[in-house]
Amino acid sequence: MAKYIGKRVFYMIITLFLIAVLTFVLMKILPGSPFDTERFEKLTPQQQQEALAKYDLDKPIYVQFFKYITDMLKGDFGTSFYYTKMPVTRVIFSRIGPSMLVGAQAILIGLAIGLSLGIIAACRHNGFVDNLTMIIAVLGISVPNFVAAALLQYYIGLKLGWLPVGFWESWACSVLPSLALCVQPLATSARFIRAETLDVLQQDYIVTARSKGMTQARLLLKHTLRNSIIPVITIIGTMVVNLLTGSLAIESIFSIPGIGGLFTDSVKNNDYNVIMGLTILYSFMYMLAILITDIAYSLVDPRIRIAAGKGGD
Amino acid sequence: MKKTLLALLLVAAMLSSVAVTAFAADDNVLHVYCDRVFRSFNQVTASDGNFFEVSGSWSEGLTRLDADNNPQPALAESWTVSDDGLTYTFTLREGLVWSNGTPLTAKDFEFSFITEISDSETNGYADVIAPIIKNGVAFMNGEVPASEVPVKALDDRTFEVVLAAPCAYFTRLCSLSCLFPLNEEFYTACGDQYAVDADHLMYCGPFVATSIDVGVGVTMVKNPTYWDAENVALDGIDYKVITDASAALNAYEAGAIDRVNLTSIDVVIYNTSDEFHTWSDFRNYYMQFDWTNDRLNAKMRKALSMAIDRETLVNDVLMTGAVGAGGVVSRGIAGDGTTSFRDLAGDFSYYDPDLARQLWAEGVAEMGSAPKDLVLLTAEGTDFDDVAVFVQDQFRTVLGIEVAINSMTQKARNEIMKTEHFDMALSAWGADYDDAMTYLDLWTSTSGYRGYYAKDEYVALVRAAQVEPDEAVRLQLMLDAEKMLIEEDMVVTGIYDRGYSFLQKPYVNGILNHPSGQTTEFKYVTLTK
């Protein structure tokens, strides 16, 4: 297992490096420079040149990239151009908290409700709960989360006044955005677990277990869930990263200072160092999520563990 | 059973926290917002409107603008100007202190003035301040040491500045946040940490910040050690960042903020409300041409300018309180003291469809044929979107020509203007100070961003005005310059001066709006809840 993880980490580092190279090149192809502002245009050409030189923007791309990578290995991600002189790490860490809290809450609520609904629906196949779950699932997948956000904000925040309409001042501010974001994981996980559970429930071993007089609850927990959860784990990994990395629409609607907004702003403003920092962070989180997913597989499914132990992936 | 209990507890916890925060407290605090994140809280580097609004609340300059936009004594109780108009001697108020008890002296002004002009590319207003102060540009370019810049603390309460040329608006500039005092010891001790949080700032204004965050906003409480604290009625200010316009409107409806700017769409719904107001500031939106582009001659450019019905644009399309521009110098910019610059100059940019058609026909005849595939460059996601579509339609209905709109991000648009040639572009400039020079000196640049214009005669007029000691002569030079820029050469034409439509709760009084610099002022606000 340790050897397996070590190998994966090695690949992760190589992938990260390739992503860094690619992002760096793509970013430089973006038209404009971080200094293309109204005010910069008032400087004399000589002053403009000095400014570019100060940040090495006048050098060839490979020189800039080499410098970036060597600084990065020392833990220095550079300073932001937009947030004047502020280190990139500080810019990112000041914005990541709200996104993560909202995302984590959305995941927890979404999975808790979604998985329960899905399992109940499978047990009551074609019953009332099943139909209701499917309606919720279809709605949840087809209604964009910003529509849910706007509705929640208008009715619960404004009309009923139960929760703040936005901002980031207390925990209560995170409730509506979390609810808006949880709709999609809820619907997706409900659909997946329902289909898988239905499938498992028809397996021979379930019929055997049932004929031996096993109670429904024991049957579900011990024999069904463990089998039906495996495909769901696959989707949970990427879902978690998607939600933790912030949603531009939700953040904008609820005025949450998260990294979803930061990312789009940094692209718009050619804030090179922030774009790089965020891309590397996102990629890292994705790869970590995939790694954890794979490890989780082996914990849930002994067959995968054995296969990995024999040297297969 | 345990789980039910847990769930109940969770619900109870949720409801109790809701009860605390559901509606804005009935306190003596002003709740306002800005629609973009802060870029910096450092007065040396900042040049954004939202920073000016908060820094003007927690700090103060030698002067502060009154309701009529005239500079009044602030941290300086008085000043004298030498006969040649070059030497300003300010006397600070007695007993001024920073919020942490440190005495505030003339040294703090000396340090802030020097620091502001020390670094041109990252300092917000270095390009505005340096040319005004004697040896300022030479110091900025590293040609003379700081000791040669005549910005001196003569004693603790006397501060002297020698200018490069007489500057009618210098005391007005002294109200800008880049010239607020800065304590050298504190600033250098903080280093990189300066202005990253509320503890790494010093305050000398009506309020003291208790929290600052570029993405969340600023909270402030009244500063008891402010020299004019008795005239500050508010207990504090809650200044949020809300980037989404409809979220801001919801927040206003929910009572979480006391004032909200409206978009054109919302104006239609709210413009009969008692809470509806408008104002306009010194930000001029203009259409510019490429001076080196021979596809359009002067007559055709004039025809294009005259084809734009500015009144319809501001009243029926934008509806935000904007006013039709008469040139590139905004309406209301100071003139000779009694009449504004615009009124003295008259309008060079105006709507005249008949003349437009005639000039276009003449222009085309001179050229031999009408230009094909004209393109209007614009930056997306701003007011420009609506303006571009309107202007395109005007060209079609008045002149019968098709102009394509090329809309891209501002950075991309700027790059195209600088590196390529273009037909016409929409752009804007906000006044840094209340004087026509803030607009006119832009066009001395050779950059494509200014249409590759910089005609020798024009540059000569502006340079002469910049050093002219006689106020009447200087004004005439500037009037001549704008006339050359628009009336003769038509390298640029004004479209409108930006306006704001906003709703404000009836219990809010005393928010001052200035058309440039710190555009919104909270010092004098009173709430009658």
Side-chain angles (χ1 to χ4, degrees):
Chain A
M1 195 66 180
K3 194 178 150 203
Y4 170 71
I5 293 177
K7 201 165 97 186
R8 291 290 300 267
V9 171
F10 175 71
Y11 284 134
M12 268 172 74
I13 294 170
I14 293 180
T15 317
L16 263 186
F17 181 77
L18 291 177
I19 289 173
V21 176
L22 195 66
T23 314
F24 203 87
V25 172
L26 287 176
M27 193 172 72
K28 293 291 171 181
I29 297 173
L30 263 183
S33 93
F35 287 117
D36 275 334
T37 59
E38 280 180 0
R39 191 150 289 287
F40 188 69
E41 295 304 327
K42 277 201 82 175
L43 301 180
T44 63
Q46 181 207 342
Q47 288 168 336
Q48 294 186 0
Q49 199 51 42
E50 278 171 18
L52 293 175
K54 196 163 177 176
Y55 293 92
D56 292 321
L57 292 174
D58 56 341
K59 308 245 168 39
I61 289 186
Y62 66 89
V63 176
Q64 294 182 38
F65 182 71
F66 184 74
K67 188 169 180 302
Y68 183 85
I69 293 294
T70 43
D71 284 351
M72 194 184 81
L73 292 176
K74 290 180 217 149
D76 176 10
F77 286 80
T79 55
S80 165
F81 293 99
Y82 187 75
Y83 301 97
T84 321
K85 292 182 177 172
M86 223 197 270
V88 167
T89 39
R90 186 153 73 217
V91 172
I92 293 178
F93 284 112
S94 72
R95 304 282 288 269
I96 202 168
S99 293
M100 286 205 146
L101 177 67
V102 170
Q105 289 182 163
I107 284 276
L108 289 180
I109 306 170
L111 285 184
I113 302 177
L115 292 180
S116 325
L117 267 182
I119 294 169
I120 299 171
C123 295
R124 301 270 181 277
H125 188 39
N126 287 333
F128 170 73
V129 181
D130 190 21
N131 291 333
L132 183 75
T133 307
M134 282 305 97
I135 292 172
I136 292 176
V138 171
L139 273 181
I141 287 168
S142 46
V143 175
N145 57 24
F146 55 85
V147 174
L151 291 175
L152 285 170
Q153 183 184 47
Y154 187 74
Y155 286 103
I156 297 186
L158 188 57
K159 288 285 155 189
L160 297 172
W162 288 355
L163 287 163
V165 289
F167 320 125
W168 199 249
E169 289 163 344
S170 63
W171 175 77
C173 297
S174 73
V175 176
L176 288 184
S178 302
L179 287 178
L181 266 184
C182 87
V183 177
Q184 246 150 358
L186 188 158
T188 315
S189 59
R191 253 166 43 100
F192 258 84
I193 196 81
R194 174 182 170 274
E196 289 301 324
T197 308
L198 274 179
D199 191 41
V200 173
L201 281 176
Q202 278 153 21
Q203 300 291 324
D204 294 342
Y205 59 86
I206 296 290
V207 180
T208 314
R210 201 172 262 159
S211 63
K212 281 164 122 183
M214 191 177 266
T215 61
Q216 178 81 351
R218 216 174 127 77
L219 184 78
L220 271 179
L221 287 175
K222 195 128 175 91
H223 295 279
T224 316
L225 195 56
R226 192 150 178 183
N227 285 301
S228 59
I229 201 85
I230 296 171
V232 179
I233 288 178
T234 324
I235 56 161
I236 289 177
T238 44
M239 203 148 79
V240 168
V241 179
N242 269 336
L243 290 179
L244 292 189
T245 49
S247 152
L248 169 67
I250 300 294
E251 285 169 14
S252 165
I253 289 170
F254 290 105
S255 303
I256 299 169
I259 49 175
L262 181 66
F263 194 51
T264 33
D265 280 351
S266 60
V267 173
K268 246 188 327 205
N269 296 315
N270 286 58
D271 201 344
Y272 295 146
N273 290 340
V274 176
I275 302 178
M276 283 302 287
L278 281 174
T279 314
I280 289 171
L281 178 74
Y282 283 177
S283 322
F284 177 72
M285 284 172 72
Y286 258 107
M287 286 187 282
L288 197 66
I290 293 169
L291 180 66
I292 292 173
T293 308
D294 288 350
I295 295 172
Y297 276 156
S298 63
L299 293 180
V300 178
D301 188 346
R303 287 168 300 181
I304 297 175
R305 191 160 52 215
I306 293 161
K310 281 178 184 158
D313 281 346
Chain B
M1 191 59 209
K2 251 189 200 163
K3 274 186 185 154
T4 334
L5 205 67
L6 194 72
L8 278 176
L9 272 175
L10 268 174
V11 170
M14 257 165 86
L15 288 177
S16 61
S17 65
V18 167
V20 181
T21 50
F23 22 77
D26 193 18
D27 49 15
N28 188 27
V29 171
L30 180 71
H31 299 271
V32 282
Y33 81 108
C34 60
D35 62 7
R36 58 163 75 180
V37 297
F38 287 88
R39 295 184 58 177
S40 168
F41 287 112
N42 183 343
Q43 68 178 55
V44 179
T45 55
S47 64
D48 284 355
N50 51 8
F51 175 75
F52 292 161
E53 293 187 2
V54 294
S55 65
S57 303
W58 74 43
S59 189
E60 188 164 66
L62 293 162
T63 61
R64 187 181 276 274
L65 300 184
D66 63 14
D68 300 321
N69 308 318
N70 290 315
Q72 298 298 337
L75 291 185
E77 63 179 12
S78 63
W79 56 86
T80 56
V81 188
S82 62
D83 291 340
D84 59 6
L86 292 179
T87 306
Y88 281 71
T89 311
F90 295 90
T91 306
L92 301 192
R93 287 179 196 278
E94 215 175 328
L96 290 177
V97 284
W98 291 97
S99 53
N100 63 1
T102 312
L104 193 160
T105 70
K107 279 271 176 209
D108 298 332
F109 280 101
E110 184 182 314
F111 181 66
S112 75
F113 273 58
I114 290 291
T115 308
E116 179 58 33
I117 59 173
S118 63
D119 191 350
S120 59
E121 72 270 6
T122 53
N123 288 4
Y125 269 60
D127 60 305
V128 176
I129 306 299
I132 288 167
I133 293 166
K134 189 180 172 191
N135 286 343
V137 176
F139 170 69
M140 191 165 77
N141 294 339
E143 291 152 17
V144 301
S147 56
E148 305 249 329
V149 184
V151 175
K152 295 283 173 254
L154 301 184
D155 59 50
D156 278 357
R157 286 183 55 207
T158 314
F159 178 58
E160 187 186 85
V161 182
V162 182
L163 307 185
C167 174
Y169 50 88
F170 178 63
T171 50
R172 212 173 243 132
L173 284 181
C174 289
S175 70
L176 288 177
S177 67
C178 59
L179 297 182
F180 288 174
L182 201 56
N183 186 278
E184 181 170 8
E185 202 183 326
F186 181 80
Y187 188 77
T188 35
C190 288
D192 279 353
Q193 295 294 307
Y194 180 76
V196 298
D197 58 37
D199 294 335
H200 288 88
L201 276 168
M202 274 167 97
Y203 309 97
C204 62
F207 301 92
V208 170
T210 48
S211 75
I212 62 173
D213 185 309
V214 290
V216 177
V218 172
T219 53
M220 289 181 267
V221 296
K222 185 175 171 174
N223 178 6
T225 65
Y226 178 54
W227 67 270
D228 199 20
E230 62 186 77
N231 287 318
V232 178
L234 286 176
D235 289 337
I237 300 175
D238 171 24
Y239 191 100
K240 298 177 205 296
V241 173
I242 309 177
T243 52
D244 185 73
S246 58
L249 190 55
N250 281 345
Y252 179 83
E253 296 274 354
I257 51 175
D258 297 325
R259 175 165 156 140
V260 64
N261 285 330
L262 296 176
T263 60
S264 307
I265 304 159
D266 293 323
V267 168
V268 188
I269 304 165
Y270 290 95
N271 60 7
T272 52
S273 160
D274 292 341
E275 299 170 11
F276 179 83
H277 310 271
T278 63
W279 68 286
S280 70
D281 67 354
F282 293 160
R283 187 170 174 86
N284 182 267
Y285 285 67
Y286 51 82
M287 181 170 71
Q288 60 179 113
F289 302 96
D290 184 342
W291 181 244
T292 57
N293 182 337
D294 50 14
R295 281 153 53 81
L296 291 166
N297 59 26
K299 278 186 175 163
M300 292 157 101
R301 294 197 296 270
K302 262 194 181 164
L304 291 169
S305 169
M306 286 177 188
I308 303 169
D309 183 353
R310 292 159 177 82
E311 290 310 302
T312 304
L313 174 69
V314 297
N315 294 329
D316 300 339
V317 179
L318 295 172
M319 297 187 289
T320 48
V323 291
V328 292
V329 177
S330 288
R331 292 188 193 281
I333 286 274
D336 61 6
T338 50
T339 312
S340 75
F341 184 93
R342 185 79 272 137
D343 288 345
L344 289 170
D347 285 359
F348 301 128
S349 304
Y350 51 88
Y351 176 56
D352 188 337
D354 294 328
L355 193 51
R357 273 185 286 270
Q358 183 195 329
L359 283 173
W360 182 260
E362 288 175 20
V364 170
E366 283 174 20
M367 295 274 284
S369 66
K372 295 230 176 348
D373 309 323
L374 287 174
V375 176
L376 174 65
L377 288 179
T378 176
E380 64 194 12
T382 58
D383 288 347
F384 290 135
D385 284 342
D386 291 340
V387 179
V389 173
F390 177 81
V391 167
Q392 183 188 42
D393 182 62
Q394 290 275 282
F395 292 159
R396 187 181 297 137
T397 50
V398 176
L399 301 176
I401 58 168
E402 282 302 324
V403 171
I405 295 173
N406 186 1
S407 176
M408 59 201 101
T409 67
Q410 195 150 2
K411 302 267 180 193
R413 198 253 346 234
N414 293 1
E415 175 146 306
I416 288 201
M417 288 172 72
K418 279 193 333 188
T419 55
E420 295 170 27
H421 288 284
F422 57 94
D423 297 322
M424 51 196 131
L426 293 176
S427 196
W429 182 257
D432 294 319
Y433 45 90
D434 184 4
D435 189 89
M437 187 53 79
T438 189
Y439 296 105
L440 297 175
D441 70 350
L442 301 178
W443 301 92
T444 61
S445 159
T446 52
S447 164
Y449 199 62
R450 308 291 172 214
Y452 305 98
Y453 179 63
K455 195 167 91 168
D456 291 347
E457 294 90 328
Y458 179 81
V459 176
L461 279 175
V462 172
R463 296 285 174 253
Q466 280 170 334
V467 295
E468 175 57 51
D470 186 285
E471 191 46 39
V473 179
R474 188 181 81 93
L475 182 63
Q476 192 54 51
L477 286 167
M478 294 197 298
L479 288 167
D480 293 346
E482 199 204 19
K483 189 171 182 186
M484 179 183 287
L485 186 69
I486 308 175
E487 180 78 0
E488 289 173 25
D489 293 337
M490 189 49 83
V491 71
V492 55
T493 186
I495 300 180
Y496 65 99
D497 297 327
R498 178 170 66 183
Y500 291 98
S501 291
F502 64 94
L503 299 176
Q504 181 172 305
K505 299 286 184 192
Y507 52 74
V508 178
N509 303 296
I511 294 184
L512 297 186
N513 284 126
H514 303 304
S516 67
Q518 183 191 345
T519 47
T520 312
E521 161 101 67
F522 306 116
K523 176 183 167 182
Y524 307 101
V525 171
T526 56
L527 302 177
T528 48
K529 281 188 188 174

